[in-house]
């Protein structure tokens, strides 16, 4: 009787390639085996959560996703948060408008350049993760169709646009659909690579937030900062626990899941775990640090465009990273409402007035939210890869 590893590769499910315990593939042949299995046996729609099944089968429909109750309710909550913040805060709208009009446009434009210059770096990092997970990204055909830096940057831009107009981070699922459509790759395993990217992002973000916070406050944290650190610690611990659970408690997790999700989870798990190759972790960490420093420099140029406001670079990094934590909240599209309040609130810790803090938040969100909505819509309408 032939062993399982001698069977026809196309007949094996991903969870059968390692005696029911998916883990990072240790050989190229095992990577190819998993990918062949994923392509040979696409999951039925009922084996996926409803939202993911819909995105996988038909992509992202702007009309259907934006004009539904969940999306409209999330925007209602976001604008309610902004309205409440304006109502309770002592903001002089006329003064705020004057400050905005006096903004140095050259320095402000530098913020745009830095922000959009990070997309190819994010694409390069994701390409490394995809390669680690066993995706064929280096062939000429793959580079042309989907795995080139330009194509991956486009996928990230489209997914960010989706995340800015609908809640629940469905843009991440849309990114998985784009790889499936253009690269004929496993949707579930692609989601695993995106989840792995999120894990690296959050761990580095929180590490840099702690370092900048200690430099700024010199160990004397106020209650607000302590709560922020607790949120970051909880996020990081949950991500690490989730990753370790995938690695060591896979049978228990599957036992707890409904039977119809087992195949989806097996492929998702394989995509996540195989993304973390020890030999490639240093470059992933370096690129992620560059990304978060770039996000901080975006805010630096916004603040410099308003005259500097007497803030040190470490303080600006702390503000940028603290507000970035709030974008992880899935209930609101792009963190709308929470991020604006977060930026203004953190800046007030450094004795910046409410009116000026609100002006900074307004200008910064034009770059990292509203410009994505506008430019992302243009990209969505004209993209040939969507």
């Amino acid at each position: 009787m032939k062993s399982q590893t001698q069977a026809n590769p196309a007949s094996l499910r991903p969870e059968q390639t390692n005696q029911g315990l998916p883990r990072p593939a240790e050989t190229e042949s095992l990577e190819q085996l998993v990918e062949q299995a994923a392509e040979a046996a696409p999951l039925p729609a009922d084996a996926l959560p409803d939202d993911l099944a819909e995105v996988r089968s038909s992509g992202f429909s702007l009309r259907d996703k934006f004009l539904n109750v969940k999306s409209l309710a999330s925007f209602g909550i976001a604008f309610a948060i902004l309205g409440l913040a304006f109502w309770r805060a002592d903001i002089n709208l006329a003064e705020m408008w004057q400050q905005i009009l006096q903004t140095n446009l050259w320095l402000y434009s530098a913020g745009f350049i830095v922000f959009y210059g990070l997309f190819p770096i994010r694409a390069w990092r994701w390409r490394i993760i995809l390669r680690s997970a066993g995706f064929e990204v280096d062939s000429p055909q793959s580079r042309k169709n989907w795995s080139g830096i330009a194509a991956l940057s486009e996928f990230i831009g489209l997914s960010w646009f989706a995340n800015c107009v609908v809640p629940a981070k469905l843009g991440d699922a849309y990114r998985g659909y784009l790889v499936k459509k253009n690269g004929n790759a496993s949707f579930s395993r692609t989601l695993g690579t995106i989840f792995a990217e999120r894990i690296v992002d959050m761990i580095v973000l929180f590490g840099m937030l702690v370092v900048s916070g200690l430099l700024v406050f010199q160990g004397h944290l106020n209650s607000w900062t302590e709560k922020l650190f607790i949120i970051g610690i909880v996020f990081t611990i949950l991500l690490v626990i989730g990753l370790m659970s995938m690695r060591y408690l896979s049978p228990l997790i599957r036992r707890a899941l409904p039977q119809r999700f087992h195949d989806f989870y097996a492929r998702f798990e394989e995509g996540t775990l195989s993304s973390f190759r020890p030999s490639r972790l240093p470059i992933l960490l370096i690129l992620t640090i560059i990304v978060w420093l770039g996000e901080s420099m975006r805010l630096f140029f916004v603040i410099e465009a308003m005259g500097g406001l007497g803030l040190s670079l470490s303080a600006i990094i702390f503000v940028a990273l603290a507000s970035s934590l709030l974008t992880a909240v899935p209930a609101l599209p792009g963190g709308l409402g929470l991020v604006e309040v977060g930026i203004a609130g953190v800046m007030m810790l450094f004795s910046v007035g409410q009116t000026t803090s609100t002006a900074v938040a307004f200008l910064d969100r034009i770059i990292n939210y509203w410009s994505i909505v506008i430019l992302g819509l243009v990209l969505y309408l004209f993209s040939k890869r969507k």
Side-chain angles (χ1 to χ4, degrees):
M1 183 175 182
K2 291 185 178 182
S3 66
Q4 207 172 48
T5 56
Q6 292 174 318
N8 178 12
S11 68
L12 294 178
R13 296 198 302 265
E15 66 267 32
Q16 293 176 314
T17 61
N18 200 11
Q19 292 77 49
L21 292 171
R23 58 190 66 193
E26 296 178 357
T27 66
E28 292 296 325
S29 60
L30 184 55
E31 288 178 343
Q32 293 171 5
L33 183 65
V34 173
E35 185 62 26
Q36 288 171 351
E39 293 178 1
L43 297 177
D46 63 358
L48 294 167
D50 292 342
D51 284 341
L52 295 184
E54 184 179 351
V55 172
R56 190 194 69 163
S57 62
S58 57
F60 178 78
S61 170
L62 180 60
R63 177 188 295 272
D64 293 342
K65 293 298 181 184
F66 181 70
L67 297 177
N68 66 29
V69 175
K70 287 191 292 186
S71 295
L72 295 177
S74 67
F75 273 100
I77 294 171
F79 285 117
I81 292 172
L82 290 173
L84 181 63
F86 264 94
W87 177 62
R88 296 192 62 180
D90 183 20
I91 299 172
N92 187 321
L93 293 178
E95 180 184 345
M96 174 181 153
W97 183 243
Q98 283 301 313
Q99 291 178 354
I100 291 172
L101 291 178
Q102 293 170 8
T103 299
N104 184 315
L105 293 181
W106 290 105
L107 289 172
Y108 188 57
S109 298
F112 271 95
I113 293 171
V114 169
F115 178 69
Y116 283 100
L118 292 174
F119 275 78
I121 297 176
R122 293 180 185 275
W124 180 20
R125 181 183 62 169
W126 187 28
R127 196 168 186 273
I128 293 171
I129 293 174
L130 288 165
R131 184 186 293 116
S132 296
F135 289 78
E136 178 51 68
V137 298
D138 294 315
S139 70
Q141 189 68 19
S142 296
R143 287 177 178 270
K144 178 182 177 181
N145 291 339
W146 71 277
S147 67
I149 298 298
L152 293 178
S153 297
E154 182 178 338
F155 295 165
I156 293 173
L158 287 168
S159 71
W160 280 30
F161 165 68
N163 278 336
C164 284
V165 296
V166 296
K169 293 290 185 183
L170 283 183
D172 292 351
Y174 183 40
R175 199 180 348 160
Y177 163 82
L178 291 169
V179 172
K180 171 184 173 292
K181 176 187 176 184
N182 293 277
N184 193 29
S186 166
F187 174 75
S188 310
R189 292 183 66 227
T190 303
L191 290 184
T193 68
I194 296 169
F195 181 59
E197 178 190 87
R198 294 290 187 186
I199 291 174
V200 176
D201 263 335
M202 290 302 299
I203 291 174
V204 173
L205 167 61
F206 181 65
M208 293 176 65
L209 181 66
V210 170
V211 171
S212 62
L214 293 176
L215 288 174
V216 171
F217 298 105
Q218 298 180 349
H220 303 291
L221 303 180
N222 56 37
S223 60
W224 196 96
T225 310
E226 288 177 351
K227 291 176 183 177
L228 184 64
F229 277 20
I230 290 173
I231 292 173
I233 290 172
V234 170
F235 267 129
T236 304
I237 290 176
L238 288 176
L239 288 172
V240 172
I241 289 176
L243 189 62
M244 291 300 98
S245 298
M246 281 185 176
R247 180 65 178 82
Y248 297 106
L249 302 176
S250 179
L252 294 179
I253 294 175
R254 293 189 204 178
R255 200 173 302 158
L257 290 173
Q259 181 68 33
R260 67 190 183 101
F261 292 150
H262 282 194
D263 282 350
F264 164 74
Y265 175 75
R267 299 175 188 190
F268 174 80
E269 183 182 76
E270 173 65 28
T272 301
L273 294 180
S274 59
S275 298
F276 294 103
R277 292 297 186 90
S279 62
R280 290 170 182 158
L281 280 179
I283 185 63
L284 287 181
L285 292 174
I286 290 171
L287 291 176
T288 305
I289 290 171
I290 291 173
V291 164
W292 288 120
L293 285 177
E295 293 286 350
S296 302
M297 291 307 297
R298 178 206 73 234
L299 183 61
F300 169 80
F301 282 116
V302 171
I303 291 175
E304 285 298 305
M306 295 187 65
L309 308 180
L311 293 178
S312 66
L313 180 58
S314 57
I316 293 173
I317 292 175
F318 181 82
V319 174
L321 298 180
S323 62
S324 294
L325 269 181
L326 299 174
T327 62
V329 178
L332 299 174
L336 184 64
L338 284 181
V339 174
E340 289 81 357
V341 173
I343 293 174
V346 177
M347 289 193 65
M348 288 168 59
L349 296 176
F350 301 100
S351 302
V352 179
Q354 288 186 345
T355 298
T356 303
S357 298
T358 305
V360 170
F362 177 80
L363 289 172
D364 188 55
R365 290 295 273 169
I366 286 178
I367 297 176
N368 72 347
Y369 181 83
W370 293 107
S371 74
I372 293 175
V373 172
I374 296 170
L375 297 178
L377 176 60
V378 174
L379 179 62
Y380 176 78
L381 293 176
F382 293 98
S383 174
K384 295 180 180 180
R385 294 188 172 99
K386 66 177 181 180

